[in-house]
Amino acid sequence: NNKRVAVVTTDRVVHLFDDNGDRRDKFSTKPADSAGTRNYMVRGMAWSPDSAKLAVAQSDNIVFVYKLGTEWGDKKSICNKFHQQSAITCVCWPSEHPHEVVFGLAEGKVKIGALRSNKPMTLYATDSYVVSCCARMDGNGVLSGHLDGTVYRFVFDENGRGAMQTQVCQHTCVPYALAWGESICCAGNDQKVVFYDNDGIVLQHFDYS
C-alpha cells in the first residue's frame, strides 16, 4: 500500500519505516531450528499484495511469512513456514496471487508456497542456482535468473491456456538484478543493463563499464 518500507540488516533484524522515512517498528527474525544457532542470512523479503504480511527468505532453508497487519501497532505473528532441503535464495509475491508466495532455491528449483494449505509446490526445476526472481506487472507471472546466466519465465495462465514455463534468454552474465515491466530488464557484474522482449530478443542495452 506504499505506506511502509521493510529493511533487514546483517544482524537479521527487520526495521519498518513509514512513508516519511521514520522508523516505527522492528522485529528479530527467527532461525529455522528454534534450538539452532543464528548463523543464517536473510536473502530476500516480499510484501503480500495487501501489505498485511511479509515473506522473509533465509539461507537456513526456510521462508517465514509474518502477519504484521495493516496498521502500526498491530500484533505480529508467524502465520506460515515453508521449510526446504536447500537454501532459499530469493523471493517475490505476485499481486494476483495473494495466497501464494514464490521463492527460488540454491538447488535450482522455483517453488510456490500456498498460505492456505501451508504446503510448498515446485513450479519448475532447473540445474542452476537461482540468484534472482521478480513478478510481472500484472501479477500473473514470474521471472527467475540463474547462476549459468539463463532467465526463465513462468506464467500462471497464458490467455486461458493454463500455466506455461520457458527459457527466455541467455544473459551476458549472472542476472543478479531482474525486473519485468513492459520489457524484461537484466543486469549483473559485467556492468551492462540489457532490455529484452518476452521472447528474449534484445531491445536495448546500456554499457557502464
Side-chain angles (χ1 to χ4, degrees), residues 80-131:
N80 295 91
K81 303 176 185 179
F82 301 107
H83 203 287
Q84 301 298 302
Q85 297 301 312
S86 108
I88 316 297
T89 57
C90 53
V91 63
C92 66
W93 206 322
S95 59
E96 287 300 303
H97 294 263
H99 304 293
E100 297 169 323
V101 61
V102 176
F103 50 92
L105 303 178
E107 64 185 18
K109 292 180 180 178
V110 175
K111 291 192 173 187
I112 191 166
L115 272 63
R116 286 173 171 166
S117 65
N118 204 40
K119 292 182 179 179
M121 179 183 70
T122 300
L123 290 182
Y124 55 95
T126 73
D127 295 324
S128 183
Y129 184 110
V130 186
V131 298

Side-chain angles (χ1 to χ4, degrees), residues 3 5 17 35 37 45 50-51 56 61 67 69 71 77 90 94 98 100 103 110 134 146 149 164 169 173 179 190 203:
K3 293 183 178 179
V5 175
F17 296 83
T37 57
M45 298 189 298
D50 65 359
S51 298
V56 179
N61 304 7
K67 185 178 180 180
E71 301 295 333
S77 62
C90 53
E100 297 169 323
F103 50 92
V110 175
C134 69
H146 299 260
M164 297 184 67
C169 63
C173 66
D190 64 354
L203 299 174

Side-chain angles (χ1 to χ4, degrees), residues 4 121 143 155 161:
R4 291 187 292 183
M121 179 183 70
L143 293 175
V155 178
R161 293 177 291 175

Side-chain angles (χ1 to χ4, degrees), residues 1-205:
N1 59 11
N2 296 321
K3 293 183 178 179
R4 291 187 292 183
V5 175
V7 178
V8 67
T9 50
T10 53
D11 58 358
R12 298 166 291 275
V13 174
V14 176
H15 301 262
L16 300 174
F17 296 83
D18 63 18
D19 51 359
N20 293 317
D22 297 323
R23 191 178 74 178
R24 298 286 298 274
D25 204 352
K26 67 177 182 177
F27 64 92
S28 295
T29 59
K30 299 181 181 299
D33 181 359
S34 59
T37 57
R38 293 171 56 86
N39 59 357
Y40 59 91
M41 291 177 58
V42 175
R43 307 304 299 272
M45 298 189 298
W47 286 104
S48 62
D50 65 359
S51 298
K53 300 180 181 71
L54 183 69
V56 179
Q58 300 181 184
S59 62
D60 56 348
N61 304 7
I62 198 167
V63 175
F64 283 110
V65 179
Y66 291 84
K67 185 178 180 180
L68 303 179
T70 56
E71 301 295 333
W72 297 110
D74 285 351
K75 183 180 178 180
K76 294 183 283 291
S77 62
I78 294 173
C79 57
N80 295 91
K81 303 176 185 179
F82 301 107
H83 203 287
Q84 301 298 302
Q85 297 301 312
S86 108
I88 316 297
T89 57
C90 53
V91 63
C92 66
W93 206 322
S95 59
E96 287 300 303
H97 294 263
H99 304 293
E100 297 169 323
V101 61
V102 176
F103 50 92
L105 303 178
E107 64 185 18
K109 292 180 180 178
V110 175
K111 291 192 173 187
I112 191 166
L115 272 63
R116 286 173 171 166
S117 65
N118 204 40
K119 292 182 179 179
M121 179 183 70
T122 300
L123 290 182
Y124 55 95
T126 73
D127 295 324
S128 183
Y129 184 110
V130 186
V131 298
S132 56
C133 66
C134 69
R136 194 165 73 177
M137 280 195 307
D138 66 0
N140 196 40
V142 294
L143 293 175
S144 62
H146 299 260
L147 193 62
D148 62 0
T150 55
V151 176
Y152 285 85
R153 178 181 70 229
F154 180 90
V155 178
F156 293 95
D157 186 11
E158 187 66 43
N159 300 321
R161 293 177 291 175
M164 297 184 67
Q165 176 256 325
T166 185
Q167 180 179 329
V168 178
C169 63
Q170 178 74 45
H171 189 53
T172 54
C173 66
V174 182
Y176 288 111
L178 199 58
W180 195 359
E182 292 296 331
S183 55
I184 294 168
C185 181
C186 302
N189 55 7
D190 64 354
Q191 300 177 324
K192 296 176 182 177
V193 179
V194 183
F195 292 85
Y196 300 90
D197 68 11
N198 286 335
D199 296 317
I201 297 172
V202 175
L203 299 174
Q204 198 170 12
H205 75 277

